[in-house]
């Protein structure tokens, strides 16, 4: 099938603002959007810039706005999109070139919630044990691949320059509900700040955008409840 691929192009060295460029490519229905981007870059225009790594929905590096929805280019099939496909960079982060955005603000928020186990208690003779139920409590958060699809689908993130965003809250959730962790209070200081969890307006965009099926909005609400009940 013949497909029209509309890509938002932007080279800060020569362009005043982003603009769309159309490419005609031949594709199979089961081709992925990533395959089409490869065809353009390798066969038509080698200056096209985009990120990709594993190509199998694990690394999270190729999150893009595809036909108006945040998706991973390596998991999105042509047959689900039609003959006109529009590809843009994810929103809310500065464009560096074409489909490549500056991820530093996203990862700064990730680092702020201390995404690692905090426990200063004397270590046991063996490992710190957990029951299957305790492990299951934070299982959803372990599936996050830091693609930023959820955060950059959030209207609060687009308009508020201080909001840490859904992905950072999911990472905080993963440790807040880990029975081995003792850093809850430290994370609450970040989450309770002006740009923290209370900025969430429960729009559900983040849950719909997650390529891993994480119930992001639900996890954010669990963090909110834990912060409230921990005061008593």
């Amino acid at each position: 099938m013949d497909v029209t691929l509309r890509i938002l192009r932007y080279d800060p060295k020569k362009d005043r603002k982003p603009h769309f460029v159309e490419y005609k490519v031949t594709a199979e229905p089961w081709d992925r959007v990533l395959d089409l981007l490869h065809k353009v870059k390798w066969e038509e225009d080698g200056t096209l810039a985009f990120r990709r790594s594993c190509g199998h929905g694990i690394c999270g590096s190729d999150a893009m706005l595809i036909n108006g929805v945040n998706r991973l280019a390596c998991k999105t099939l042509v047959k689900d999109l039609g003959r006109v496909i529009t590809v843009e960079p994810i929103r809310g982060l500065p464009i560096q070139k074409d489909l490549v955005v500056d991820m530093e603000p996203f990862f700064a928020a990730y680092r702020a919630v201390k995404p690692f186990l905090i426990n200063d208690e004397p270590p046991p003779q063996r490992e710190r044990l957990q029951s299957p139920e305790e492990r299951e409590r934070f299982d959803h958060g372990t599936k996050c691949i830091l693609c930023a699809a959820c955060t950059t689908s959030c209207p609060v993130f687009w308009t508020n320059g201080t909001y840490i965003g859904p992905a950072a809250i999911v990472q905080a959730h993963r440790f807040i509900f880990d029975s081995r962790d003792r850093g809850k209070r430290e994370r609450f200081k970040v989450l309770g700040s002006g740009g923290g969890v209370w900025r969430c307006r429960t729009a559900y965009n983040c849950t719909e955008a997650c390529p891993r099926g994480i119930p992001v909005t639900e996890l954010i609400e669990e963090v909110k409840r834990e912060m409230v009940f921990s005061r008593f």
Side-chain angles (χ1 to χ4, degrees):
M1 55 189 294
D2 294 327
V3 174
T4 299
L5 192 63
R6 300 179 65 246
I7 304 176
L8 191 66
R9 302 294 305 269
Y10 175 64
D11 185 343
K13 294 182 179 180
K14 61 181 183 181
D15 297 327
R16 295 183 57 188
K17 61 181 181 179
H19 60 283
F20 282 103
V21 178
E22 292 189 357
Y23 301 90
K24 303 292 185 180
V25 295
T26 301
E28 299 291 346
W30 51 85
D31 279 345
R32 306 163 301 167
V33 171
L34 182 60
D35 296 322
L36 304 192
L37 293 173
H38 282 158
K39 285 187 177 183
V40 171
K41 184 173 181 64
W42 296 342
E43 300 174 11
E44 295 191 44
D45 187 347
T47 67
L48 176 63
F50 57 91
R51 288 192 178 104
R52 57 102 175 96
S53 185
C54 75
H56 295 285
I58 301 300
C59 71
S61 60
D62 64 344
M64 303 172 189
L65 191 69
I66 301 174
N67 280 6
V69 178
N70 278 12
R71 318 173 199 244
L72 296 183
C74 63
K75 292 186 67 176
T76 306
L77 302 181
V78 172
K79 71 181 183 64
D80 297 325
L81 299 173
R83 295 182 180 274
V84 178
I85 301 174
T86 301
V87 184
E88 306 168 66
I90 47 180
R91 294 172 177 155
L93 294 169
I95 300 175
Q96 293 182 318
K97 186 174 187 246
D98 297 335
L99 304 175
V100 177
V101 298
D102 182 4
M103 294 288 286
E104 177 52 30
F106 173 80
F107 284 112
Y110 167 66
R111 293 190 296 267
V113 299
K114 302 181 185 297
F116 45 82
L117 192 73
I118 298 174
N119 192 325
D120 295 330
E121 297 173 353
Q125 292 184 349
R126 298 179 66 184
E127 65 269 22
R128 302 183 192 275
L129 298 178
Q130 278 186 320
S131 68
E133 292 76 19
E134 288 173 330
R135 172 60 180 79
E136 186 179 8
R137 180 66 184 86
F138 59 88
D139 186 64
H140 285 307
T142 66
K143 299 174 183 176
C144 177
I145 56 176
L146 298 174
C147 64
C150 66
T151 295
T152 56
S153 72
C154 175
V156 178
F157 182 78
W158 301 335
T159 57
N160 185 293
T162 64
Y163 181 42
I164 61 175
I169 300 171
V170 166
Q171 293 296 322
H173 180 286
R174 180 256 174 273
F175 291 99
I176 288 171
F177 292 99
D178 189 328
S179 61
R180 302 164 298 178
D181 188 82
R182 300 294 179 267
K184 179 186 298 187
R185 298 294 177 182
E186 295 179 45
R187 297 188 184 92
F188 282 177
K189 291 179 182 179
V190 178
L191 295 170
S193 67
V197 69
W198 303 111
R199 287 286 180 182
C200 172
R201 293 297 178 264
T202 320
Y204 283 92
N205 285 25
C206 52
T207 298
E208 294 175 3
C210 179
R212 301 283 289 175
I214 300 172
V216 180
T217 309
E218 179 182 329
L219 301 193
I220 293 174
E221 293 304 308
E222 289 182 359
V223 170
K224 289 179 180 179
R225 287 197 296 270
E226 185 69 14
M227 291 178 67
V228 171
F229 293 145
S230 293
R231 297 177 183 178
F232 300 99

